Amino acid sequence: MDELKEAWGELKNKDKESIKLEIEQLRVSVHAKSAGVIETLNKKLKLKTWFVWGGIILFFGFMYFAPNTITIFQISFIIAVYIISGIILTKERKIIKDEVDLSGNLHDTLETYYQKVKRILRYEELIGLTLYPISATAGFIVGLNAESDNSDFFDDWKGWVILLGVLIILTPLCHLFSKWLNKVAFGKYLKKLEESLEELNKPENADTI
């Protein structure tokens, strides 16, 4: 009887050791895959930040071609929003860089990183929704007056209807295009993080990793 108990105890210990080994192998595998994904996402966020700061320089150039004070004001507003966006992106990237530590709790780290990247992309899309109508209006006016003075275009109600039609068409199109670009640039990498989190969320792994 004692031999049977001893054999059963050894079997349980082997099972525990086997489970620990499998979990450790899983942790190493997820760690390696996630590190590469995070590195790629960080590079893409960096490029996005530089794109915002580059946009500010570009809009300063557009000011030179502004036909009137109203357009200058619109472009100035766009530049101000871009500056705010650049500051937010730079700050969020710094927070992410400081908080990501894959040597600690892997699940919590990946979950936090995943949510922060998605939050940055949501911020960008919401900011874009405020900018598209203003950018389209400024571009419309600049284009309208590129070769000749058409300042009387809006004296008639038809001019306002045309502008409204342009805004109604362009605003949702630009928003959808922005979401599509983010999906192309970030989608598959965020999906990989989701898969890693799903793996770590399995009952047999959730309390250990």
Side-chain angles (χ1 to χ4, degrees), residues 24-94:
E24 182 58 29
Q25 288 173 340
L26 171 65
R27 191 184 194 286
V28 171
S29 174
V30 172
H31 182 286
K33 289 189 293 185
S34 301
V37 171
I38 287 173
E39 183 181 358
T40 301
L41 285 172
N42 283 341
K43 288 179 179 178
K44 289 182 176 293
L45 288 173
K46 185 177 181 179
L47 284 174
K48 186 178 283 291
T49 305
W50 283 112
F51 176 80
V52 170
W53 292 116
I56 294 171
I57 297 172
L58 188 65
F59 278 110
F60 269 116
F62 286 160
M63 267 191 171
Y64 179 78
F65 300 100
N68 51 51
T69 306
I70 294 176
T71 307
I72 292 174
F73 176 78
Q74 290 173 322
I75 295 175
S76 299
F77 179 81
I78 293 170
I79 290 173
V81 174
Y82 260 68
I83 290 173
I84 294 171
S85 301
I87 292 172
I88 291 174
L89 272 173
T90 303
K91 182 180 177 182
E92 290 290 333
R93 279 185 57 238
K94 186 179 185 305

Side-chain angles (χ1 to χ4, degrees), residues 19 30 59 69 79-80 93 106 157 169 180 189 193 202:
I19 291 172
V30 172
F59 278 110
T69 306
I79 290 173
R93 279 185 57 238
L106 187 57
W157 64 270
I169 293 171
W180 178 77
Y189 300 103
L193 288 183
K202 289 181 178 179

